[in-house]
Every structure is written in C-alpha cells, then in structure tokens.
Amino acid sequence: KMWTHLERQSGAGGVGLRGPGESQLEIDKRLVRDRIITLKKKIDDVQKQRTIHRRGRKKSGLPILSLVGYTNAGKSSVLNYLTRAGVMAESMLFATLDPTTRKVKLQGDHAHPEFLLTDTVGFIQKLPTNLVAAFRATLEEVEEADVLVHVIDVSNPSWEKQERSVRSVLSDMGVGDKPIVRVLNKIDLLDEDDAEYLKYEAAFSDNTVAVSALYGDGMEDFVGAVEKALNDLLVPIEIVIPYSMGQELSAVHEHGVVETIDYQTDGTYVLGRVPPPIANRLERYSVAQTGDNSSFPGSSDGTKDGQNTDWTAIGRGRHAED
C-alpha cells in the first residue's frame, strides 16, 4: 500500500539515523514514479491507436465533421439525433470527456449521403493550459476535421460571449480558418418571437441554422448547411477510369458529385468533383495526364462531319471557338 506508513522516525534508530518512516516515503515515491511512467506509456499507446483510426477514416474518403462549442451547448444531442449513438447528453460541465465518432447516413438523395461526425469535449472560457493537455484527444479530432460544426446554446443569456470564447480557443489551436457551420441550438427553450427572430437571422447568414437538436426542429436545414460546406471542399476531376477499376467509379459516385459520365471503349469518362483524398488517388487516371482525346464522348478520332470537335471543352461545358 502507498501512503499508509508515513511515520517520520520511530526513535529506535537513535539521533541522526534513518527511521522506517523515511524508508516508506522513498518506496512510495518510487511507486508513484513507476505509476506515472506506466500511465504515460498507456497514453502514448492510445494516441498511436487513435492516429491509426484517423488514418483509416481519411482513407475511407468520407468527410469528417467535428462538433465544437461551449460546454453544455447540446453537441451530444446533435450527434444523438443524427446517429442515435446514445452518447451521454446531460446538462453538466464536461459531460463528454472522450471523442465519439459515428457514421451519419442521410435519408433521401444527397450529394454527401454519408459523413463522419465526432463529438468533442465542451470548451470553457480561459481554458487552463494543463486542462488543454488533458483533452489532447479532443483537440486532435478538431485538427483533423474537414468542417467544424459550432453548436451554440442560444437559450443562455451569454451565448454571444460564449461563441466568442470558442472562436478564440479555435484560433489559438490554429484551426480558426477551417469551414464552420454555426448551429444556434435550443430554440425550443426560447419565447416564440425570439425563436422566430433567430430563424430569420440564420436564414440570411452564411452557414448558419437555428435548430432544436432535442426535438429535430431545423435539422433538415442543418444537413443542407453541412452539404454546402462540404461541396465547397470538393475539387474538380476529369478522368477516364478503366472498367477493371470499378471500385474507383463507385467511390466517385459515393463521395463526390458527378456532372458528366460517358462509357467509352477504354473506360468510363467522368467529369465531376470529389474530396481531395480521392482526387489524389485518381490522379493517375486524369485526362490531362494521359492526354488521350479518344476517351472523350464522341467518335474515336474526335471528329464529326469533317469538323474538329474539342471533346474536352464539351465535357467541361465549353465548346471550342470556331
């Protein structure tokens, strides 16, 4: 046992001699040092495991969103409504202490039918440095996110001050320039006039929605705002995918937006927009890299009725000038 034998000296050893109490203190200190070393090793192992998980999520090509906001803003309620994750959602300080990531599958026809949503610990004003270190896992998830979802408890009289505090923390973390969707949450706790005013204000603000995550009011608008933010992150592609690489075409359909598609003899011509990781993976099939005009929609020699046709321009929606 530690801390059970803290006598300074028994007196049996005489003046100036070490007593059994001092020996016990030294033993306890050594046990504490060993315990600290063990815990640090476990933390490093957890960090390595989370790094592996994040790499796997990146390879999947799914967009990653992180819920951020002041403590008790309703972030876990947003996650629960969209995913039915069953995450603890209580009105208390730091109800969520460990990041929870779930895949969100949207119903209906959406450009981004699936994305990953992570719940994080709530921020507070003037977050102490040692506390920031304790929530390192949450901070890492925020850094890896493609889009931040800032959940704000508008039922709190100080919600504007809390919003500025969160923005300040995000800026200190170096992620203040990431795309942010503002979610004015808990409108169900407001007077009807105040709730309508916030809805009106949100309608004329960029990437802002007014919702009640608890009852689902306004969550369709939230999904639309998320889709808009994700679409802004997509990069254009113009590729010809060999028929033997059907999984790559499926990835384009699943995670991107297809604007033009044509099935040619040597592969599938696709013009569209996809997330950067998928675009990098498909770069070897790029039309610009292959320079093969025969893969574009039309005849194999790129001519029609004796006239030259710029099929690349047609695929991009621009006809070549005569």
Side-chain angles (χ1 to χ4, degrees):
K1 286 184 177 182
M2 290 190 298
W3 319 116
T4 57
H5 305 289
L6 299 180
E7 303 90 347
R8 283 297 175 182
Q9 287 187 351
S10 65
V15 179
L17 299 179
R18 294 158 58 96
E22 289 184 334
S23 298
Q24 183 63 43
L25 284 173
E26 291 175 358
I27 293 174
D28 290 340
K29 288 179 180 178
R30 177 174 55 80
L31 292 175
V32 169
R33 285 195 298 268
D34 293 343
R35 180 63 173 165
I36 291 174
I37 293 173
T38 300
L39 291 175
K40 285 184 176 180
K41 288 181 179 179
K42 289 183 178 180
I43 291 174
D44 290 339
D45 291 341
V46 170
Q47 187 177 13
K48 291 177 182 178
Q49 194 68 24
R50 283 185 172 135
T51 299
I52 294 173
H53 290 166
R54 282 194 296 272
R55 288 176 182 172
R57 292 197 292 265
K58 283 289 185 182
K59 288 182 180 180
S60 72
L62 290 175
I64 301 174
L65 284 72
S66 281
L67 293 163
V68 300
Y70 209 81
T71 185
N72 196 35
K75 299 180 297 298
S76 296
S77 296
V78 174
L79 179 70
N80 287 338
Y81 183 86
L82 291 175
T83 67
R84 301 297 187 267
V87 177
M88 180 182 182
E90 297 290 344
S91 179
M92 57 185 295
L93 187 66
F94 303 137
T96 300
L97 291 175
D98 193 49
T100 301
T101 301
R102 294 290 184 270
K103 179 188 290 186
V104 177
K105 295 184 178 181
L106 302 176
Q107 300 294 327
D109 186 17
H110 294 275
H112 300 276
E114 294 182 346
F115 57 84
L116 299 177
L117 187 62
T118 299
D119 189 14
T120 63
V121 69
F123 297 162
I124 61 173
Q125 283 183 290
K126 299 179 181 179
L127 197 64
T129 304
N130 58 344
L131 200 56
V132 171
F135 296 144
R136 181 173 58 182
T138 279
L139 305 183
E140 290 171 350
E141 295 296 338
V142 171
E143 292 171 354
E144 294 293 329
D146 298 308
V147 175
L148 302 180
V149 179
H150 185 183
V151 183
I152 305 165
D153 177 10
V154 293
S155 69
N156 190 309
S158 303
W159 69 267
E160 292 175 316
K161 184 178 181 181
Q162 292 178 352
E163 180 182 8
R164 289 192 297 269
S165 298
V166 172
R167 290 275 189 166
S168 177
V169 173
L170 293 176
S171 179
D172 292 341
M173 292 168 55
V175 296
D177 58 345
K178 284 182 177 288
I180 296 179
V181 176
R182 294 173 69 236
V183 179
L184 307 180
N185 191 28
K186 300 189 181 182
I187 59 173
D188 54 292
L189 299 180
L190 300 177
D191 294 337
E192 185 176 352
D193 291 342
D194 292 339
E196 289 299 324
Y197 174 78
L198 279 180
K199 289 181 181 180
Y200 178 83
E201 186 182 62
F204 289 94
S205 302
D206 293 334
N207 295 333
T208 302
V209 293
V211 308
S212 168
L214 184 62
Y215 297 104
D217 186 19
M219 295 302 287
E220 291 185 3
D221 295 335
F222 166 67
V223 172
V226 166
E227 280 203 296
K228 181 180 181 301
L230 292 176
N231 282 336
D232 292 341
L233 297 176
L234 300 182
V235 297
I237 58 167
E238 188 176 10
I239 56 177
V240 177
I241 303 178
Y243 289 119
S244 60
M245 302 300 293
Q247 71 274 14
E248 300 290 15
L249 181 60
S250 298
V252 174
H253 280 290
E254 186 174 357
H255 306 305
V257 177
V258 176
E259 299 171 358
T260 302
I261 187 169
D262 191 78
Y263 298 97
Q264 301 297 321
T265 56
D266 55 346
T268 305
Y269 169 81
V270 178
L271 180 73
R273 292 175 293 127
V274 296
I278 295 182
N280 294 335
R281 197 172 73 212
L282 299 176
E283 187 176 0
R284 56 179 171 165
Y285 305 123
S286 171
V287 167
Q289 184 169 327
T290 60
D292 185 6
N293 292 339
S294 64
S295 298
F296 303 148
S299 60
S300 60
D301 60 356
T303 62
K304 179 179 179 181
D305 297 333
Q307 296 180 353
N308 292 331
T309 304
D310 188 348
W311 291 111
T312 304
I314 290 178
R316 292 173 176 161
R318 305 187 301 270
H319 293 283
E321 296 180 1
D322 294 335

